[in-house]
Amino acid sequence: MNAPRQTTEETKLDNYTEDLLNELFADSNNDTSDDKHLVDTIVTLHAKAMESSLTGPIVALYQALLEAQQAASLTPAAFNISRDDLVQLAVKHEQIDEHMVSIGGRVSQALPIASTANARVEEYLARKDTEAPSGIEQWEQIQENISRIKRELKMSDDDWNSFSGQIRNAVDSVDTLAKLIDLPADVLASIADVTKSYRMRLTPYYTSLIMPGVLNDPVMLQSVPTGEMIDNGGIEIPPVAADHSPARLIDQFYPRVLTIKATNMCAMYCTHCLRLAHIGRKDKVYSKDAYGEALDYIRNNKRVRDVLITGGDAFVLPNSLLEWLLGELDAIDHLKTKRLGTRIPVTAPMRIDNELLDILEASNDKKPIRVVTQINTPQEITPVSQDAFRQISKRTFTVLNQAVLLKGINDTRVKMWKLCETVHESYVRPYYLFNCSYRNPQFKHFRVPINVGQDLVESMYGNIPGDAIPRYIATAGGKIPLHRTNVVSLDNSEITLRKPWSGEEVSYPDVDPEVYANEAFAFRR
Ligand SMILES: *Cc1c(COP(=O)(O)O)cnc(C)c1O
Ligand code: SF4
C-alpha cells in the first residue's frame, strides 16, 4: 500500500480540490447530524477510504460528503472528519491514480460531466429495442415466419439454405405474396396494379423479415412496390449511365475510381433503387465481350486505381465469373484496390458459401477488397446475415454499409442510431448515408429533407462511436458531402467550434497561416 505523504504546508492541491474542500466546509446549519444511519454510513466510508489502497473508496467518501452538504448543509465536521483528514486522502488519491487525477477533478468535474453525458442517451436506450428492433431481437418471430413461408412455398430445408433455392422460389407475384403475408384487399389490388409496370422480387428469406400485421413494415416498404410509384409520375431524369458511361458497363465520375456494372440482376429488387431504369426489368446475362471492353478501358486508363464491381448485385454473379473478373483486375498493375457492391448478405445470406469466401480471400491477398453493402434498417440484420458479414469481414479488408435515408424506415434518431449500432455490431462499418435521390420520381414519397438527415447524422457525434457514424451524401454526378459545419466563426486565427452533442461552443486557436506557409521547421530550422 502507498503510504500517503504527511500533509504539510507544501502539500499542493489543485484548484478543483481546493474548491471542493471549500464547498464541503461551507456554512453549515449544524455541526452534528442526528441522522444516525447517515453518520454510520459516512463513518464506515471514511474508515474504508483510510485503509484501502484503491481510489474508489476515497471517491465514495467525497461523494457522500458532497451529498450531505448539498442536501442538508452538513459539513464533514458533522461526521468527525477534519479538513486535514480530507487533505490527506486527497493526496493519497492523487498518488494512487496513474494519471495523477485529483479527487476534486474526479468528483466535482469528471463524474458530473459523465452523468450529464449519460442523459443524452437515456431516451434512446429506453426506446431503441421497441421502436427499432433488430432482426436479431425479432429472431423468434422471424423463425415462425420462416416455417410458415417454407410450408406455403413447399420449400425443403435444402431449398431454403441454398441461393438457387431462394431464387427459384422468389416471391414475384401478388398472389404468392398474399399467401405469405396477410394484407388488406385494397393493398393487394394496388400491388397487383403497380407490379404490371414495376418488377417485384423478394427472396423467401427476405420475405421472412417482414413482421406480420405491420402495414408500413420497413422491410416490406423496401421490397413491395406501392401505388405511389405510378401516381408520382413526373419527369424521369435519364439514368446516371446516360451521361457518365465512357465505356461499355463502366460508369465514371472520378479520375481514379470507377464502377463496372457487372450485372443488372439482384436477389431482391428495392423499391427505392437508384438504378431502377436498368435493374430488374429483365434479367440479362452479359457477354464476355462486354466484360472484355470494360476491362480494356481500365487497362488502358493508367490513372484508375480503384474499381467497384456493382450491378445490380455483384454477388448474383456465379463464383466462376467473379473469380475470373477479380483475377483480371488483380493482373492490372496500376489497379490497386477493389470493391464489390452487394445486398445479398441481407437479402439472401445463404449465397455466402465457402467457395465464395475462398475466392474473396485469395483476391484480397493480392489487392485489398472491400465489400460494400446496403442495410437500411436493423430489422434486416438477423443472426444469419450477421454471421455472413462476420465471415466476409474475416476474409476481406473491410465491409462497408451505404444506407439510404428513407421516410418511415430510418428517418428518426432512434432508428438511425440503432441501425448504425447494429451494423457496427455485425462487423460492418457505416460508410455513407445517401439522401434519397430526386432523379427517379417513382420513389419521391420516400424522400427526406436534407436538413432532417443533417440533424440525424449530427446527433450521432459524441453519442455513438465515431467509426459507426456514416458520411451524409447527395448523389448528383458524384457524391457530394452534405454535412453541416461546426465552425461557428472564423475570426483571424481564433476559431469558435460547436460541440454537436451539446451545442456548447469552444474556442480553438488556429495555427498562424504565415508561420505555416513560411517558417522552416524540424531539422531544417
Ligand atoms: C459511388 C461511386 C463511386 C465511388 O465513390 P466513393 O466516394 O469512392 O465511395 C465511384 N464511381 C461511381 C460511378 C459511383 O457511383
Ligand atoms: S440491391 Fe441495389 S441495385 Fe439491386 S435493386 Fe436494390 S438498390 Fe437497386
Side-chain angles (χ1 to χ4, degrees):
M1 178 177 146
N2 285 342
R5 231 188 305 135
Q6 234 17 102
T7 59
T8 59
E9 296 302 296
E10 85 243 37
T11 301
K12 273 268 191 300
L13 300 175
D14 72 352
N15 289 344
Y16 294 137
T17 306
E18 287 289 358
D19 290 350
L20 179 58
L21 285 169
N22 291 342
E23 186 180 353
L24 289 178
F25 285 96
D27 299 341
S28 64
N29 61 7
N30 229 328
D31 48 12
T32 57
S33 169
D34 43 22
D35 181 341
K36 187 158 171 354
H37 178 69
L38 182 64
V39 174
D40 282 352
T41 307
I42 290 185
V43 166
T44 310
L45 286 174
H46 186 205
K48 276 195 191 141
M50 297 288 288
E51 76 190 27
S52 172
S53 57
L54 300 176
T55 56
I58 304 174
V59 171
L61 172 68
Y62 264 81
Q63 281 186 307
L65 290 171
L66 191 59
E67 209 186 302
Q69 169 62 257
Q70 286 167 349
S73 303
L74 290 164
T75 69
F79 310 98
N80 264 327
I81 299 173
S82 69
R83 193 178 176 109
D84 238 24
D85 294 338
L86 289 179
V87 169
Q88 234 183 75
L89 286 171
V91 171
K92 176 170 148 185
H93 181 278
E94 209 170 310
Q95 283 175 345
I96 299 173
D97 190 275
E98 283 69 16
H99 300 276
M100 291 163 288
V101 174
S102 73
I103 188 72
R106 184 155 283 153
V107 169
S108 66
Q109 304 296 312
L111 283 164
I113 288 172
S115 140
T116 309
N118 288 342
R120 293 200 304 268
V121 298
E122 290 315 325
E123 193 187 348
Y124 169 69
L125 293 176
R127 288 165 49 183
K128 71 186 178 83
D129 293 350
T130 45
E131 275 177 44
S134 71
I136 298 165
E137 287 144 10
Q138 288 164 306
W139 187 231
E140 224 170 281
Q141 176 64 55
I142 292 171
Q143 281 176 301
E144 262 180 64
N145 299 346
I146 292 175
S147 308
R148 190 182 67 245
I149 293 169
K150 264 190 191 162
R151 202 167 50 239
E152 286 292 345
L153 297 180
K154 302 189 172 59
M155 287 177 76
S156 67
D157 284 347
D158 281 351
D159 274 350
W160 186 271
N161 293 323
S162 72
F163 182 61
S164 61
Q166 288 287 330
I167 296 299
R168 249 185 293 113
N169 290 280
V171 182
D172 55 9
S173 77
V174 68
D175 295 336
T176 315
L177 186 73
K179 280 197 282 182
L180 307 180
I181 303 171
D182 206 10
L183 290 167
D186 59 328
V187 169
L188 289 173
S190 140
I191 300 170
D193 193 40
V194 68
T195 48
K196 283 182 206 139
S197 315
Y198 293 100
R199 184 173 179 186
M200 172 175 73
R201 176 159 88 179
L202 293 78
T203 56
Y205 168 84
Y206 199 73
T207 313
S208 77
L209 309 182
I210 298 173
M211 291 297 128
V214 182
L215 201 51
N216 269 359
D217 178 273
V219 171
M220 184 156 71
L221 288 184
Q222 292 182 62
S223 51
V224 176
T226 59
E228 289 143 308
M229 289 185 78
I230 293 171
D231 302 344
N232 283 344
I235 299 150
E236 192 168 341
I237 296 159
V240 167
D243 45 6
H244 283 94
S245 181
R248 205 166 166 188
L249 303 190
I250 303 273
D251 276 355
Q252 186 171 18
F253 295 141
Y254 311 122
R256 310 207 66 196
V257 192
L258 52 72
T259 65
I260 307 181
K261 293 163 291 173
T263 172
N264 79 331
M265 292 183 253
C266 299
M268 183 276 282
Y269 292 110
C270 307
T271 51
H272 56 273
C273 178
L274 194 65
R275 300 179 194 270
L276 203 61
H278 310 279
I279 305 299
R281 295 262 159 117
K282 194 168 183 302
D283 290 348
K284 278 193 218 153
V285 175
Y286 297 172
S287 65
K288 280 260 158 120
D289 275 356
Y291 296 122
E293 286 193 53
L295 288 166
D296 279 343
Y297 181 80
I298 298 165
R299 285 187 196 107
N300 295 330
N301 191 338
K302 292 216 159 36
R303 290 177 193 83
V304 176
R305 64 171 293 283
D306 186 26
V307 166
L308 231 145
I309 304 175
T310 139
D313 192 310
F315 283 1
V316 163
L317 297 174
N319 285 343
S320 54
L321 183 58
L322 265 179
E323 188 174 24
W324 172 78
L325 203 50
L326 288 168
E328 294 297 305
L329 293 175
D330 286 332
I332 301 173
D333 263 353
H334 58 269
L335 191 89
K336 303 299 182 192
T337 57
K338 301 143 310 191
R339 281 186 256 188
L340 293 163
T342 178
R343 271 204 101 177
I344 275 182
V346 291
T347 58
M350 32 305 269
R351 167 71 180 91
I352 315 305
D353 53 24
N354 281 328
E355 193 180 81
L356 172 62
L357 291 167
D358 288 345
I359 291 168
L360 294 179
E361 183 175 357
S363 174
N364 185 62
D365 282 343
K366 298 203 175 79
K367 293 167 187 181
I369 292 188
R370 296 93 87 211
V371 171
V372 184
T373 193
Q374 186 197 137
I375 312 164
N376 297 322
T377 161
Q379 194 168 316
E380 288 170 290
I381 299 176
T382 65
V384 183
S385 48
Q386 190 179 49
D387 196 57
F389 285 125
R390 187 180 58 81
Q391 306 255 25
I392 298 168
S393 79
K394 283 208 291 195
R395 309 284 203 103
T396 59
F397 174 17
T398 185
V399 188
L400 302 169
N401 188 41
Q402 300 189 332
V404 185
L405 179 57
L406 297 165
K407 179 172 162 181
I409 293 176
N410 54 23
D411 59 340
T412 68
R413 230 177 235 215
V414 171
K415 288 174 181 173
M416 185 52 72
W417 290 20
K418 180 69 179 279
L419 169 64
C420 292
E421 288 192 350
T422 312
V423 162
H424 202 222
E425 288 158 27
S426 304
Y427 304 84
V428 178
R429 276 198 192 88
Y431 173 44
Y432 280 155
L433 175 65
F434 290 117
N435 186 263
C436 185
S437 174
Y438 69 98
R439 275 185 103 105
N440 301 73
Q442 291 93 332
F443 48 74
K444 74 171 182 213
H445 53 285
F446 279 135
R447 296 197 70 207
V448 176
I450 298 280
N451 69 307
V452 172
Q454 288 176 321
D455 287 347
L456 287 175
V457 175
E458 198 83 344
S459 75
M460 286 192 258
Y461 284 86
N463 292 323
I464 71 173
D467 71 327
I469 303 175
R471 286 177 242 172
Y472 185 34
I473 299 287
T475 310
K479 296 182 175 70
I480 305 172
L482 292 172
H483 286 253
R484 204 174 267 160
T485 179
N486 282 295
V487 180
V488 181
S489 69
L490 247 168
D491 187 12
N492 294 323
S493 58
E494 197 59 28
I495 295 177
T496 304
L497 301 180
R498 179 182 41 235
K499 299 184 180 182
W501 53 90
S502 63
E504 186 197 340
E505 292 185 357
V506 288
S507 91
Y508 187 89
D510 204 356
V511 64
D512 182 341
E514 279 296 313
V515 171
Y516 170 68
N518 300 321
E519 211 159 89
F521 76 111
F523 298 118
R524 295 196 187 283
R525 267 196 315 157

